[in-house]
Amino acid sequence: MSRRVIRQWGLLACTALTAIATIPARAADPAPEVRLAPDGGLALPEIETVAKRLDAARSKIQPSLGATVYDFGRTTLETLPQGDQSQLQQVLLQAPGVATDSFGQVHIRNEHNNVQYRLDGVQLPEGLSVFGQALETRFAHSVSLITGALPAQYGFRQAGVVDITTKSGTTDPGGQIIMYGGARSTLQPSFEYGGRSGAVDYFVSGDDLHSNSGIENPANRFNANHDTTDQFRGFAHITGLLDDTTRISLLAGSFHGDYQIPNQGGNQPQLGLTVNGTSDFNSATLGEHQRELTQFGILSLQKQWGDVNLQASYFTRYSSLYYTPDPLGDLLFTGVAQTAARSSWANGVQTDASWRVNDRHTLRAGVLAQIERSVGNSNSLVLPVDANGVQTTDTPFALNDSSSKTGAMYGVYLQDEWRILSNVTINYGARFDVVDEYTHDQDASPRVNVVWQATPTTTIHGGYARYFTPPPFELVGNATITKLLGTTAAAATTQDSVAKAERSHYFDAGIGQVIIPGLTVGVDAYYKRAHNLIDEGQFGSPILLTAFNYAKAQQDGVGLSSSYVQGPLSLYGNLAYSRGIGKGITSAQFNFSADELAYISQHYVHLDHDQRWTGSGGAAYTLNDGTNSPTRLSADLLVESGLRRDGATPNGSALPGYYTINLSVVQKLNVFDGRPSELRLDVINLLDRRYEIRDGTGIGVGAAQYGLRRTVLAGLTQRF
């Protein structure tokens, strides 16, 4: 075992935090009569009762009333192919209106990123990771995707809210060790353990992944070239009850990922450059690498005073990214070989509170303040050129550049949940946000949602939200662009306006209907009109996403969802239509050619992630249900109509559509009395479909990307 792995597992062993199971409740639950244990603490039955009551109290602080919510409970997460080994992005793809992209990105309702992640109700700042994710399915007790016209407590990132309720020693007691792996040299040992000691609840998990399939294949072949990855994730959560109305929790996690950048073989440089007498280079030997690191922590205090509930949290997140090029190959193919390092450290506080005034009104308010320090350093190996762009010498030279900036975001909200009738509720309020980073801006955002329980089986909702979205906290400055003038890395244009905050009007309406017990269907439609819409692209060799704005944009769509659960059988199916267009580039213009800028300034173009149709579905059935050795069969389906590519105009065409099917078989065994074992077999892309996610063209698209071919994986789980 390497020293790096030993250090990482040592860090995991020292990390601690808690988990909370969200239990909805409308009225305040009476506090139980608490008995003291002989040592003066709370007796165990009362501890579990208090913990569940505080879970219910916290769910009242931040409800999603009027928004569209798609839930993945623990049973659902275990049923999906790969189970807890599946990436969180793969889980989200089974929700309506979520489309896949390269580097594991997902687009929710035709937005590029703009996704907010919350752990037990606390918003986690964005990081720099492109390929890897610090958050994973393994430590989630449940996952909710919240979209639509969001209530006022959700600010800054509003395309969707991924709300993760983490596992705890109360909801997921005991431990397990898993050995998982298979095709493409995949090996992923992992563990988790949860329990309770008196008033302290704890849960820890970790995994170490090695695979020869780290990033999507840029070539249309079964195995990618130069695509090895090694990743480590650790998570821990500890909670302590101070009394029957107060608890404190500490949550922490760490991710470390090393990636080879896969390459296409058989290509030769096309720029006509010569470096130290060399002009030929086989692209199959390119050796580029990227390392990503994310660490986070959240310390929370929750308090209940009768009908008043409060949670106050401090959060911190550090992330870094380091890219190393192939010095000769990158320079010959792209005109620059850039070693790039980026780091970001964010700290902040979040406080949310609710007060159930009476049977008709519940007031909620909160504040979030975040300070972030962003640092960038790069060393660019380039060649000098004359005024006509012709190379003047074959001896490269290095240009160093560095930048740093401290910025802040602040937000405050107030809202009222008003039950105007027994079956009609209005949730109205507003938030005020300030961004003070590379851009300086502020805005007030009113929100209103109406929910009508038309019948016991029919729910209708509609809402409006004003959104204010700050750009990601990163910038390629004019100083950098100026330094590269007169070199092979010079940009087509030197214009570089600062990325601006996005403002938008968002309308959403939908209906949910229970057809028969166990069968639920829903339909939801939305329309968004935006000014300075934020998009992102990968424009250079370092795999970094750079933000830019469209002056005007429109996005709209409709989604259908259905689910059926009856005994050992569960089924679901989703279908979504969406459209997204933008006009006029108003920031980071140096990334575009003069022709592109001129055309987009006069015409609406499709967003590069504008995918017209997405669909998902799945089925699961348990044989011998209720016995000690059940067998679970499950499958899921993903259908995509294809992302955009260049045609006669920028983003003027679409890639061919495709579908994939994944299959899973899980057999539980009772080898050791009371300590069950589990065997699983997963087949990803069962039919070995060949499909292309990106073809290397389109606005902000860096390279071609092909989907994963058939992959067979197996695992053994031993519980203890």
Side-chain angles (χ1 to χ4, degrees), residues 46 173 324 451 476:
E46 282 72 24
T324 55
V451 179
V476 178

Side-chain angles (χ1 to χ4, degrees), residues 14-34:
C14 298
T15 311
L17 51 120
T18 192
I20 294 175
T22 303
I23 304 173
R26 181 173 297 276
D29 300 320
E33 180 181 353
V34 179

Side-chain angles (χ1 to χ4, degrees), residues 45-61:
E46 282 72 24
I47 289 175
E48 295 180 353
T49 300
V50 170
K52 291 180 179 180
R53 177 171 54 80
L54 290 175
D55 290 342
R58 181 153 66 179
S59 71
K60 302 173 186 177
I61 300 176

